Amino acid sequence: MTQIMQARAMCKSYGPVRVLENVDFELDEGEAHVVIGPNGAGKTTLFRCLSGETRIDSGTITLSGSDVTALEGWQRVKSGIGRSFQVARIFGGMSAFENLIIAIETRERNKNGLRFSLRHLAPRKAVLEEAERLIGELGLEHTSDDAAENLSHGDKKRLELAMSLALKPKLLMLDEPTAGMSPSDRAEAVRLISQVRDTYGLTLLLTEHDMEVVFGLATRLTVLHQGVIIASGQPEEVRADSRVREVYLGQH
Amino acid sequence: MIDYRARFRINLAIALCGLAVFAIVPFVANSGLVFLAGLVAINIVFGLCWNFLFSGAGLLSFGHAMFFAAGAYGMAVVSLRMPELPFFLGLAFGSACGALIAMIFGYIALRRASGVYFAVLTLAFSELIHIYITKTTFLGRNDGLVGIPRPTIDLGPWVLDLTSATSYYYFIIVAMTIAAFALWCFQNSPAGRLIQAIRQDPLRTAFLGAGIRGWQLTAFVVSGTIAAFCGAVMVPFTQIASPEIAVWTVSTQPILFTLLGGAGHFWGPAVGAILFGAIAYGTRAMQGLSDITVSVLLLTVVLLIPGGLLGLWQRRRRKAGGRQPGQAGDDARPGTAAGKVEARQ
Ligand SMILES: Nc1ncnc2c1ncn2[C@@H]1O[C@H](COP(=O)(O)OP(=O)(O)OP(=O)(O)O)[C@@H](O)[C@H]1O
Ligand SMILES: [Mg+2]
C-alpha cells in the first residue's frame, strides 16, 4: 500500500517541555488511522506538527513522497491536506454559507491561479451551488443566515468538516471530531464521517477519546503516551496489548 | 441566502447619491464651502481606505499620513519639475509612491510584528517619512512645494479645463466616487472576502490553503495606494504640498472618521468625515472650538454608541423592521464586526 504521509524521528518541545520524542509515524493511503492517548499525551501536538501549524525541532515529514518539513501549513494544504481543530475554528461573523464560499474560493484560487480573484465580484454560480450542496450534505440547512458564532457546538464541528471537505483533500485530519457531543450526536457524527470517507475516498487521521467512536472508525490504531508511540496496528491487536492496558487501566 | 446583486446595486446607489449631493454644493454654497467640500470628499476616501485595512484586514495603522504625503509629494514633484508630463501620469506616479512605501514597509513590518506592535511601527515609519521630507531640499524642506498648477487635460476632441477651483472640484468628486466604489468592489470580491476571513481567524484561513502574510500585504498595499491617490488628487486643489500633511495628526484623522461613523459599516468613515467637516465649518470662527467639539463628540460616540453613527442607525432600523441580521442587504453586521472592533480598541 502506498504511504501518503511519513514522519521520521520527530521531536517537538515547547520550551523546556518535551512533548514529542523521536516519533515515527506513517499513514497509508485509504486507511482511517486513529491516534489515542491520555490527556496531555501529545496528540494535538502531533497534529500540529504533521499539518504544519508548528515547526518540528528535528526529524522529517514527507507527504506523498516529497519532503514538506520546511513548508508552512498553508503550503501543505495545497498538496492535499484538510484539517479541523480540537475547538472548531470557523469564521464567526459570517454565515455557514459564507464560510463555505471562502473555503471553495480558496481552493479554486490555488488550483486556477490568482486571476480567479479578479474577474468576478460575487461568488460564481458553480461556487454557490457547491456551497449549497455541502450545506445539504452535512445537514446545515437550518442554520440559514445565522452568524456562525451562534451555531450549536455540533453544527460548528460539522461546518468545520464541511469547510475541510470543500478543499477536496486527499487526507483529512480531525482532532477530536466528537469532543463535547452528546452520545446520540456522537453516533451521528461517526456515521457522517464514515460516509464522507466513502464518498470522497479519503484517508483519515483522527484523535479521539471516546472508545466507541474509535472502534467504530479505526482501521488502524496508534497509542501515544507521554510523547512516545507505545503501540500501533490493527485495532484489535492494540486493544489486547499489555502496555496499552496498563496506560488505560480499567478503561476497556 | 445573500443577494449579492442587490448588495452591489445598493452600494453603487449610495456612491452615486453621494456624488449627486456633492455635485449640488457649488450651486448652493460659496467658494469657501466648495473648497471645504472638496477636502471632505478626499477625506471620505482617505477614511474608507483606512477602515478597509482596519475592519477589513484587521491591521491597525497609525501611519496613514505617510501614504497621503507620498501621493501628494509625488504629484507635486511631477507637476512642478516635469510639467510636460500629462496630469494622469502625475496621479499614477503619486499613487505608485504610496504603493511602493506600503510594499517595502509592509513587507518588513508584517514579518516581525502584529497588533499594537504593528501599529507602533507604522507610526514610527510615518515619522521617518515626515523627517525625510523636512530635510530634503528637492521636496522643499519645511516650506513644502508651492504653486502647483491645476491641469488642462487634452482628451483628443475635447479639452477638459480644470484650472478653476470649481471645475477641479468636480474632478475631485468624480475621482473620489470612483475610488470609493472601486474599494467597495475590492472588499466584496473573492480576494476581499478572503482578507476579511483572515481578520476573523488567520489560522483557519491558513488551513484553507491561503498564505496569510501575502494577503495582508496585499491589503496594506491597496490601502496605501488609495491613500496616496487621495493625496495626489488633493495637491492641485490646495496648490501646495506641505510637510504638515505628513505629520502624525493626519494619521489620526481617518481613525476619527471611522470611530464617529462606525467601523462596522463600509460607509461609516464617510459619515464621520462629513460630520467632521461640518463641525470644522460650524466652528471656524472660534479658534480651538472645533477641537473641543470633536473631542466631546468622539467621547460621546465611543462611550455611548460603540459602533458609531451608522451602527446606531442600523440597530434602530433593525428594531423597527424586525429584520434578521444578515438580511439587511449591507456588507457588514455591526453587531458582530463593530462590536469586535470596539473591543479591540
Ligand atoms: N503551546 C503550548 N505551550 C506549552 N506547552 C504546551 C502547549 N501546547 C501543549 N502543551 C503541553 O504539551 C503537552 C501535550 O499537549 P497536547 O495538547 O498535544 O495533548 P493532547 O494529547 O492533545 O491532550 P488532550 O487529550 O487533552 O487534547 C501537554 O502537557 C501540554 O501542557
Ligand atoms: Mg488535544
Side-chain angles (χ1 to χ4, degrees), chain A residues 91 96-112 116-117 123-135 162-168 200, chain B residues 190 193-194 208-209:
Chain A
F91 306 121
F97 190 65
E98 288 172 283
N99 270 271
L100 287 172
I101 284 172
I102 304 254
I104 298 166
E105 283 183 339
T106 308
R107 179 199 75 208
E108 287 296 309
R109 187 181 300 108
N110 282 340
K111 205 169 77 192
N112 300 327
F116 177 84
S117 288
R124 290 160 194 243
K125 196 147 169 284
V127 173
L128 291 173
E129 282 168 2
E130 192 178 342
E132 291 269 12
R133 191 175 55 70
L134 275 166
I135 292 249
M163 286 165 82
S164 306
L165 288 176
L167 305 178
K168 297 197 175 153
Y200 290 80
Chain B
R193 275 192 284 281
L194 183 70
L208 295 177

Side-chain angles (χ1 to χ4, degrees), chain B residues 10 28 64 92 105 135 160 186 193 195 301:
Chain B
I10 288 169
V28 295
H64 255 45
F105 170 71
K135 303 279 180 219
L160 210 56
F186 183 71
R193 275 192 284 281
I195 288 170
V301 168

Side-chain angles (χ1 to χ4, degrees), chain A residues 39-45 86 175-176 207 209:
Chain A
N39 287 102
K43 303 180 295 296
T44 297
T45 308
Q86 187 163 344
D175 197 358
E176 302 204 17
T207 71
H209 278 294

